């Protein structure tokens, strides 16, 4: 039945697809109208566009009967446009910006020619897209270079945090109330989202980025597999002239200031990050190349830590673009981000033999072919192969010695207690085409496309020595202090395959010169299998999209827009991993010697009688307890199950907004967004289905949709954005967001403690989420000053963050905090910070050299960033104990960074 359902959905899509599909999302569109002085259309005018960003030389089109022209598939950048018609004065427009995934619309008036009259040149940069129905933010290479403050912010992940309504979380954004694992990351058209965690999946040199378009809501059917945001990023391609950069950033311990909660002398730091890019022609206007490499190297020793965390990475890109002829282009790219991390968990609670090493990184190979077989058609095809590795194991390499954890002091010693080796691979195939058609009740851009991904998660995770021991600060009954232990089985290497299929069609319909409709539908399907080849329920959904844009003043300066859309999340390979047939079994054992000594018993059988369990007694591999270990309980022996009627998580969202160009190269945007996320799934004890009860069986867990009344999220926000480049010497991006982010579950990868046990983990789960702040203000940008000085600034202020009083909860071997009040019921404090960067440039022949000084946390504030939620207290980052509600983490005090840069 499902097979026929899928075919019935795909068949009409494929019919339209054969007629016309969508462009790849790595380019922009330039549209315009040419008129005479009276506003009458001028057909037959020659429009020539050229830009350093455009391979293949200038593009030329002729206006149609209505005086309009369209130039699709233009590489993002700044263009010069010349419009010529016999008998009229030639007009030239400069600084016309074509943006990634956007339409730039201009109007050119040609006055009647008079004897001796020359070309009229006008600087014109439209800033409002009159056809846009989504909320989004575009970042150009120049803006990113000057507004990214310090090395920590020189990444595409950090740039996303500048966008209104977005909250950063370890490099992954929360977008309009969605979690950090509900975004999609497209790099040069290829999906690079991690197939296991659904978070960002690759790093590369910041100066390799040409442009970023971050779709945060209301996006069209072309984009999907996300209920949060869609990152659409393209890298540089080179040009007809050689160009390149060398950027080096450095800081070390003396660059930090001490504070009330930070002592730089107990936190030694060393950081060096050199990055190089080079691009240029192999054959002018035919073949371009671009390459980049970055080698970050950092060392950080936390307070009172006996070990130092060391990170060494190599991020690289090699890219070639071949313009075969004016209508055909081929692009190939290789990239990677391998990194080694020593002592990942360095800290005062881990002895040198208990830290672990991590090796990570991806190799990505991709190719793209695009064509304009006729003025009305665009075609694109891409293929990509992502080979991602993540291995972690004891720093010593010892896979045979068990590790210890002291439950009283928190100290970990003897060995690290986990080793895992994994590959996370994605093969992607996609094709898309655009068909432009006029005179069908207006003009149309029919879009459609198909994307097929084959994903694999291969993992081997086990416990070194098969055991991990727990101590109570040492005791007189066992020589090694252990009183309890976990004995874990090794399941061997497990592999989980997945398939993702997406298809979409859409019509961008200009009913009139000043009114556009975006009508589309998208179908996403996710199929996963367990390690035993058992198919999980297919997750699929049809997602309609509808939006409008109304140019009130008919001059592309005042736009009212609105949209309603449904977005499905594709899930990830953690889902079949939860249902592994060969999952590790954990035997929870008690030390016979400890309990014999404590209770004056003579044998381990007596201990079994004391606890009322069968006398299942074994010896440990290193002989730490000569009397053996008694089995108390077993968990993990039965893998989690996936409900047979599992349905995909999706979000319904509507927006209404207003965009206005208020003066030259300056605009404001005001919009309201309402989003509800439904069909969220989470694991729970098997006895809680269909109705939870206090005495429900918990033989295994089931991942299921527990119902929107229990599992849901909703977001409401009113957002104001101001962006200006009114003068060549400054660029500012500012925003204010008023919002509420509420829900009953955060990012858990479907296996969090929420809703495990009834009623302890059901109560008070709904409330304000971790990204909830009632008010947020962001200010970012830069100023170019005389004598080649540049000042960049990042500033933010947010109102108080939410926290939840919690107390210990227990159920058998399970022990998680339970919420004593509704989620997010308490408020802590507001936060704010200002970062500045000053650079001074020098011209040395063809080279521009800059010296860079960065000041992080200029105001030297130490505002609390986290508070103790536990009723029995917490340990702060400085090692002190805190009571419930007291701060446990603070802002880093003022710090400095030095940089050096060469450009040509």
């Amino acid at each position: 039945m499902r097979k026929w359902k899928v075919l019935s959905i795909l068949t009409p899509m494929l019919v339209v697809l054969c007629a016309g599909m969508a462009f790849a999302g790595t380019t922009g569109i330039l549209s315009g109208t040419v008129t005479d002085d009276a506003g009458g259309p001028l057909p037959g005018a020659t429009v020539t566009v050229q830009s350093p960003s455009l391979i293949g030389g200038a593009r030329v089109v002729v206006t149609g009967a209505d005086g309009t022209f369209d130039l699709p598939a233009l590489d993002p950048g700044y263009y010069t446009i010349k419009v010529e018609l016999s008998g009229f004065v030639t007009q030239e427009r400069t600084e016309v910006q074509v943006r990634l995934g956007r339409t730039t619309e201009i109007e050119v008036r040609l006055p009647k020619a008079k004897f001796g009259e020359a070309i009229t040149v006008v600087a014109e940069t439209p800033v409002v897209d009159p056809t846009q129905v989504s909320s989004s933010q575009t970042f150009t290479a120049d803006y990113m270079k000057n507004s990214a403050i310090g090395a920590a912010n020189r990444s595409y992940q950090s740039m996303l945090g500048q966008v209104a309504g977005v909250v950063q979380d370890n490099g992954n954004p929360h977008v309009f109330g969605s979690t950090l694992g509900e975004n999609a990351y497209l790099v040069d058209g290829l999906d690079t989202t991690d197939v296991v965690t659904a978070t960002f999946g690759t790093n590369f040199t910041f100066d390799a980025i040409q442009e970023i378009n971050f779709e945060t809501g209301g996006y069209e059917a072309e984009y999907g597999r996300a209920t949060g945001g869609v990152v659409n990023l393209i890298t540089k391609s080179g040009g007809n002239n050689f160009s390149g950069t060398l950027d080096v950033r450095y800081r070390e311990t003396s660059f930090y200031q001490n504070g009330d909660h930070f002592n730089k002398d107990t936190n030694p730091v060393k950081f060096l990050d050199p990055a190089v890019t080079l691009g240029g022609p192999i054959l002018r206007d035919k073949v371009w190349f671009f390459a980049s490499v970055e080698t970050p190297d950092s060392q950080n020793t936390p307070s009172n830590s006996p070990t130092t965390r060391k990170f060494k990475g190599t991020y690289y890109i090699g890219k070639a673009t071949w313009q075969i002829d004016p209508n055909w282009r081929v692009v190939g790219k290789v990239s990677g981000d391998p990194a080694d991390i020593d002592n990942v968990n360095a800290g005062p609670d881990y002895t040198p033999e208990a830290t672990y090493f991590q090796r990570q990184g991806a190799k990505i190979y991709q190719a793209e072919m695009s064509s304009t077989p006729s003025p009305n058609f665009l075609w694109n095809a891409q293929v990509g192969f992502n080979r991602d590795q993540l291995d972690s194991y004891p720093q010593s390499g010892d896979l045979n010695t068990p590790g210890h954890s002291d439950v009283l002091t928190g100290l970990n010693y003897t060995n690290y207690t986990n080793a895992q080796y994994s590959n996370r691979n994605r093969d992607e195939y996609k094709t898309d085409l655009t068909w432009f058609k006029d005179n069908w009740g207006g003009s149309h851009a029919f879009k459609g496309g198909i994307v097929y991904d084959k994903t694999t998660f291969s993992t081997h995770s086990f416990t070194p020595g098969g055991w991990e021991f727990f101590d109570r600060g040492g005791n007189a009954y066992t020589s090694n202090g252990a009183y309890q232990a976990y004995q874990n089985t090794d399941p061997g290497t497990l592999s989980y395959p997945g398939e993702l299929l997406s298809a979409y069609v859409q019509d961008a319909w200009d009913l009139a010169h000043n009114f556009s409709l975006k009508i589309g539908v998208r179908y996403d399907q996710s199929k996963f299998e367990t390690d035993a080849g058992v198919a999980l329920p297919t997750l699929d959904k049809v997602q309609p999209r509808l939006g409008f844009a109304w140019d009130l003043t008919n001059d592309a300066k005042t736009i009212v827009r609105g949209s309603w859309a449904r977005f499905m999340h594709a899930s990830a390979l953690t889902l079949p991993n939860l249902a592994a047939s060969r999952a590790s079994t954990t035997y929870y054992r008690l030390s016979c010697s400890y309990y014999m000594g404590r209770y004056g018993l003579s044998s381990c059988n007596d201990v079994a009688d004391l606890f009322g369990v069968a006398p299942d007694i074994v010896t440990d591999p290193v002989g730490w307890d000569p009397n053996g270990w008694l089995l108390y309980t077993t968990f993990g022996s039965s893998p989690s199950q996936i409900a047979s009627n599992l349905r995909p998580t999706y979000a319904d969202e509507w927006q209404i907004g207003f965009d206005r160009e208020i003066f030259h190269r300056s605009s404001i945007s005001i919009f309201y967004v309402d989003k509800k996320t439904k069909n969220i799934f989470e694991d729970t004890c098997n006895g809680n289905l269909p109705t939870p009860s206090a005495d429900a069986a918990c033989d295994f867990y089931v991942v299921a949709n527990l119902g929107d009344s229990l599992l849901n999220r909703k977001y409401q926000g009113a957002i104001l954005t101001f962006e200006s480049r009114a003068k060549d010497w400054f660029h500012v991006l500012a925003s204010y967001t008023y919002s509420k982010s509420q829900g009953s579950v955060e990012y858990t990868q479907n296996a969090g403690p929420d809703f495990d046990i009834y009623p302890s983990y059901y109560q008070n789960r709904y409330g304000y989420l971790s990204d909830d702040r009632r008010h947020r203000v962001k200010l970012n940008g830069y100023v170019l000053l005389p004598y080649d000085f540049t000042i960049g600034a990042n500033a933010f202020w947010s109102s108080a963050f939410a926290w939840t009083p919690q107390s210990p909860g227990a159920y058998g071997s399970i022990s998680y905090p339970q919420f004593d009040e509704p989620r997010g019921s308490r408020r802590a404090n507001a936060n704010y910070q200002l970062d500045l960067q000053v650079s001074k440039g020098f011209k040395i022949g063809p080279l521009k050299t800059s010296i860079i000084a960065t000041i992080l946390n200029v105001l030297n504030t130490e505002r609390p960033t986290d508070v103790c939620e536990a009723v029995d207290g917490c340990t702060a980052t400085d090692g002190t104990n805190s009571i419930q509600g007291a701060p446990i983490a603070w802002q880093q005090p003022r710090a400095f960074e030095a940089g050096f840069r060469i450009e040509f």
Side-chain angles (χ1 to χ4, degrees), residues 64-350:
D66 57 356
T68 64
F69 67 91
D70 291 291
L71 282 158
L74 290 180
D75 297 299
Y78 289 94
Y79 283 76
T80 297
I81 303 169
K82 181 183 287 187
V83 183
E84 302 169 282
L85 183 63
S86 177
F88 293 85
V89 177
T90 297
Q91 299 287 302
E92 187 172 289
R93 298 289 185 264
T94 63
E95 299 183 10
V96 177
Q97 183 184 6
V98 174
R99 293 175 293 170
L100 177 61
R102 289 279 164 256
T103 297
T104 299
E105 189 166 305
I106 66 170
E107 182 172 339
V108 180
R109 293 202 171 194
L110 300 183
K112 285 283 188 177
K114 299 178 181 178
F115 180 75
E117 193 162 6
I119 295 175
T120 301
V121 180
V122 177
E124 181 176 341
T125 306
V127 294
V128 176
D129 179 354
T131 68
Q132 179 184 347
V133 302
S134 66
S135 56
S136 69
Q137 180 64 49
T138 300
F139 298 108
T140 64
D142 284 342
Y143 175 82
M144 289 186 286
K145 178 184 72 174
N146 292 313
S147 70
I149 310 302
N153 289 311
R154 283 176 52 81
S155 70
Y156 71 90
Q157 299 94 330
S158 294
M159 292 302 302
L160 306 179
Q162 293 191 16
V163 180
V166 172
V167 180
Q168 281 285 49
D169 189 344
N170 293 320
N172 295 283
H174 294 258
V175 180
F176 298 163
S178 291
T179 72
L180 59 88
E182 296 180 67
N183 308 298
Y185 299 85
L186 307 180
V187 178
D188 289 323
L190 186 72
D191 191 344
T192 63
T193 312
D194 189 288
V195 301
V196 178
T197 63
T199 54
F200 78 84
T202 187
N203 295 291
F204 45 83
T205 303
F206 192 61
D207 287 320
I209 302 172
Q210 175 66 29
E211 194 157 304
I212 302 173
N213 176 45
F214 189 23
E215 298 279 343
T216 53
Y219 37 87
E220 300 164 33
E222 179 181 0
Y223 300 112
R225 299 181 181 176
T227 54
V230 177
V231 180
N232 187 21
L233 179 154
I234 59 170
T235 57
K236 294 178 179 177
S237 299
N240 278 330
N241 298 309
F242 289 100
S243 62
T245 61
L246 166 64
D247 191 284
V248 181
R249 305 298 170 107
Y250 176 79
R251 63 179 182 271
E252 49 97 25
T253 306
S254 63
F255 287 31
Y256 291 79
Q257 290 190 195
N258 289 328
D260 294 335
H261 307 283
F262 178 80
N263 184 345
K264 66 181 180 182
D265 297 324
T266 62
N267 290 262
V269 171
K270 187 175 182 180
F271 174 84
L272 179 65
D273 188 8
V276 179
T277 69
L278 178 64
I282 298 175
L283 292 174
R284 290 180 61 83
D285 283 327
K286 279 287 187 182
V287 183
W288 290 356
F289 79 92
F290 179 81
S292 69
V293 64
E294 179 179 5
T295 57
D297 186 344
S298 67
Q299 299 180 27
N300 176 35
T301 306
S303 295
N304 304 313
S305 173
T307 56
T308 298
R309 187 182 191 274
K310 300 178 181 179
F311 180 97
K312 289 187 178 182
T314 303
Y315 308 153
Y316 62 86
I317 288 178
K319 183 178 180 181
T321 304
W322 178 21
Q323 190 74 34
I324 301 173
D325 62 33
N327 297 322
W328 288 87
R329 180 189 299 184
V330 174
V331 181
K333 191 182 82 171
V334 178
S335 63
D337 61 345
D340 288 348
I341 312 174
D342 291 299
N343 302 312
V344 178
N345 56 336
D349 294 335
Y350 293 88

Side-chain angles (χ1 to χ4, degrees), residues 562-699:
S563 66
W564 181 90
R566 175 166 289 175
F567 310 114
M568 170 189 148
H569 189 251
S571 194
L573 288 169
T574 45
L575 186 60
N577 181 48
L578 296 175
S581 66
R582 291 185 288 133
S584 176
T585 299
T586 299
Y587 302 97
Y588 181 27
R589 294 189 176 274
L590 309 179
S591 165
C592 289
S593 295
Y594 174 81
Y595 288 100
M596 287 164 58
R598 180 175 180 181
Y599 294 103
L601 305 176
S602 59
S603 71
C604 208
N605 287 338
D606 294 337
V607 178
D609 292 338
L610 175 68
F611 286 97
V613 297
D616 184 340
I617 303 164
V618 299
T619 58
D620 65 73
V622 288
W624 278 337
D625 191 338
N627 289 297
W629 295 83
L630 172 69
L631 178 64
Y632 179 72
T633 189
T634 302
F635 51 95
S637 56
S638 298
S640 296
Q641 295 185 9
I642 310 300
S644 60
N645 61 345
L646 192 71
R647 303 182 306 279
T649 297
Y650 71 95
D652 284 340
E653 178 199 271
W654 64 270
Q655 294 189 12
I656 187 71
F658 171 83
D659 300 333
R660 169 65 187 173
E661 180 179 332
I662 52 178
F663 47 84
H664 179 57
R665 295 192 297 195
S666 304
S667 65
I668 60 169
S669 171
I670 304 171
F671 70 95
Y672 174 83
V673 57
D674 183 285
K675 181 164 69 175
K676 293 180 174 63
T677 304
K678 307 174 182 179
N679 275 6
I680 301 171
F681 44 85
E682 185 63 49
D683 67 345
T684 188
C685 285
N686 62 293
N688 286 329
L689 297 175
T691 304
S693 63
D695 56 352
C698 201
D699 303 311

